[in-house]
Amino acid sequence: MQSKRSRLDRFICQHKQLPKKQVRLLLAQGRVSVDDEIVRDMDRQIDQFTTISLDGQLLQQRQARYLMLHKPLGVVCATKDDKHQTVIDLLPEYVNDDLHIVGRLDLNTSGLVLLTNDGQWSKRIMSPQYKVNKTYLVGLQNPLDDSYITAFARGFYFEYEDITTLPAKLEIIDSHHARVTLQEGRYHQIKRMFGRFRNPVIALHRQSVGNLSLDDLAVGESRLLTVDEVSSI
């Protein structure tokens, strides 16, 4: 999902079902405001977060939202689900904000989930070209050894997608726990990487995304990101 940019005159034409000539006249007469400022330029670029008024009547007013959520186990990263509680169900106060999930976690993975209605921001986080680190705590059925560190740093070839994963950093915490940092988010990627060692993942928790971490946010709780946190990614 990407931010939708368009010309001001085109937006008013479509929103009010007016001919272009009439919209140009409205602009010339100073009857259109953009972000509380009178605008006469019909080529003015706007997006879905621009506040637009005609003769004092709001045509569009939508606030950008950026949230973090501590996702519990058993909650699905979806906007709707017939069987399970969703992350959106945990955010009833934002149900009308058209939020989407930035990097999904599966049903049995807990931890940091980011949600927004800003498609450009979520694209920067999820695209490997921007090299945003995602860090996970992993619990494993069998013991670890240093061979895992080398293999993760080298990357794994996934035949089904015909891709090789980007290098990932693995830190051994103890015999059955590791911290993994990667810049991708492919389908069940961490579980599949440990699967090459026939070592099942029995617990998975996303600790951070870029400079954003859960800190003291309790399971199931959420909060809005600060301006500095939003701009840090």
Side-chain angles (χ1 to χ4, degrees):
M1 184 181 296
Q2 296 185 9
S3 297
K4 299 174 183 177
R5 295 192 63 81
S6 64
R7 280 180 17 173
L8 176 61
D9 64 337
R10 190 170 300 160
F11 169 85
I12 298 173
C13 285
Q14 294 173 348
H15 192 86
K16 299 295 289 184
Q17 297 295 301
L18 296 173
K20 199 169 189 178
K21 184 176 182 180
Q22 186 174 347
V23 171
R24 288 180 175 178
L25 179 60
L26 293 173
L27 287 163
Q29 292 172 338
R31 296 166 61 185
V32 177
S33 295
V34 172
D35 294 333
D36 297 323
E37 178 186 350
I38 293 174
V39 172
R40 292 181 169 83
D41 181 7
M42 66 181 181
D43 295 329
R44 173 72 172 264
Q45 290 292 303
I46 62 168
D47 62 27
Q48 74 265 41
F49 304 123
T50 305
T51 298
I52 304 168
S53 299
L54 172 61
D55 292 334
Q57 177 190 4
L58 275 173
L59 303 185
Q60 175 178 277
Q61 186 178 44
R62 187 172 179 230
Q63 185 175 356
R65 297 288 191 190
Y66 308 91
L67 296 98
M68 69 162 59
L69 168 72
H70 190 159
K71 180 183 117 43
L73 296 173
V75 172
V76 66
C77 277
T79 54
K80 293 181 181 180
D81 191 273
D82 295 332
K83 296 181 179 179
H84 301 97
Q85 187 179 32
T86 72
V87 293
I88 300 298
D89 292 332
L90 299 176
L91 302 164
E93 64 269 43
Y94 302 106
V95 70
N96 296 319
D97 283 330
D98 194 25
L99 297 175
H100 61 271
I101 299 144
V102 187
R104 299 172 185 269
L105 298 179
D106 66 29
L107 187 69
N108 297 313
T109 301
S110 63
L112 176 61
V113 171
L114 300 175
L115 301 102
T116 186
N117 54 6
D118 183 346
Q120 293 288 61
W121 188 74
S122 58
K123 180 181 177 181
R124 288 198 301 272
I125 293 173
M126 294 312 301
S127 176
Q129 76 182 79
Y130 292 101
K131 295 181 170 55
V132 177
N133 289 331
K134 294 92 178 174
T135 301
Y136 298 79
L137 300 178
V138 189
L140 298 150
Q141 182 172 299
N142 303 317
L144 293 154
D145 60 48
D146 288 346
S147 65
Y148 287 73
I149 298 173
T150 302
F152 274 65
R154 184 170 57 240
F156 296 88
Y157 177 68
F158 290 164
E159 292 183 4
Y160 182 77
E161 298 97 328
D162 189 28
I163 58 95
T164 299
T165 62
L166 294 175
K169 180 181 180 181
L170 183 143
E171 304 168 79
I172 296 176
I173 298 172
D174 59 35
S175 62
H176 289 75
H177 295 88
R179 181 178 291 106
V180 174
T181 300
L182 44 74
Q183 295 173 347
E184 297 173 290
R186 301 188 182 277
Y187 180 72
H188 290 320
Q189 181 172 345
I190 289 180
K191 294 179 179 179
R192 293 167 71 189
M193 291 191 293
F194 281 105
R196 294 295 175 86
F197 292 88
R198 301 185 184 278
N199 195 349
V201 171
I202 59 175
L204 187 58
H205 175 85
R206 184 155 65 197
Q207 191 176 33
S208 64
V209 175
N211 295 325
L212 306 177
S213 62
L214 285 170
D215 297 326
D216 297 326
L217 198 63
V219 176
E221 288 190 350
S222 63
R223 68 168 177 83
L224 292 168
L225 301 182
T226 66
V227 173
D228 287 342
E229 286 174 330
V230 172
S231 62
S232 72
I233 297 183

